[in-house]
Amino acid sequence: MKIIKTATLKYLAPLFCIASLAGLPASFAYADNATASQSQIADERMDLNLVTAEQLATLPGIGKKKAESIIRYREDKGRFLEVEQLTEVKGIGPKLLAKIQSKLQVSE
């Protein structure tokens, strides 16, 4: 594994330097596949003010009925101001919110 990391850095380091000179952010931290996929998930957060019931239903612990309740809440009360407002939706408590919070965001 160390050989792979060394080879990876050997070939990527010049690219990071070029990115740096171009004013682009670059990181020299090595990330394995697990870290990269976690990063991708964080970048792909669902926006509570734009998401559909079908998309919400894909979250752990959120089925079709809870997803529809979230959409109904949004329609009745207006846009979400923060993800924590989900606890105002029937059937969503602090435990469930903790499970899905990292997969959600709220647009400004």
Side-chain angles (χ1 to χ4, degrees):
M1 189 66 143
K2 185 175 180 178
I3 295 171
I4 294 171
K5 288 182 183 180
T6 305
T8 302
L9 289 177
K10 177 182 175 183
Y11 295 107
L12 291 179
L15 295 175
F16 288 133
C17 291
I18 292 168
S20 171
L21 292 172
L24 301 172
S27 172
F28 285 95
Y30 178 81
D32 61 6
N33 289 342
T35 306
S37 62
Q38 288 173 356
S39 174
Q40 288 172 338
I41 291 170
D43 291 341
E44 296 173 7
R45 291 181 177 198
M46 293 183 194
D47 189 324
L48 280 175
N49 293 319
L50 303 174
V51 72
T52 65
E54 291 79 17
Q55 291 169 318
L56 284 168
T58 65
L59 293 170
I62 303 289
K64 184 178 178 182
K65 284 189 174 194
K66 283 184 187 165
E68 289 171 354
S69 294
I70 293 169
I71 299 300
R72 196 170 324 117
Y73 177 92
R74 185 176 70 195
E75 290 170 351
D76 293 346
K77 305 281 185 181
R79 61 185 294 281
F80 284 92
L81 301 177
E82 58 186 13
V83 175
E84 291 77 12
Q85 274 181 276
L86 275 179
T87 58
E88 297 174 17
V89 176
K90 185 178 179 183
I92 301 179
K95 282 186 178 181
L96 180 54
L97 177 64
K99 240 186 201 181
I100 62 174
Q101 191 167 15
S102 66
K103 296 170 176 39
L104 299 169
Q105 68 180 4
V106 173
S107 58
E108 294 183 28

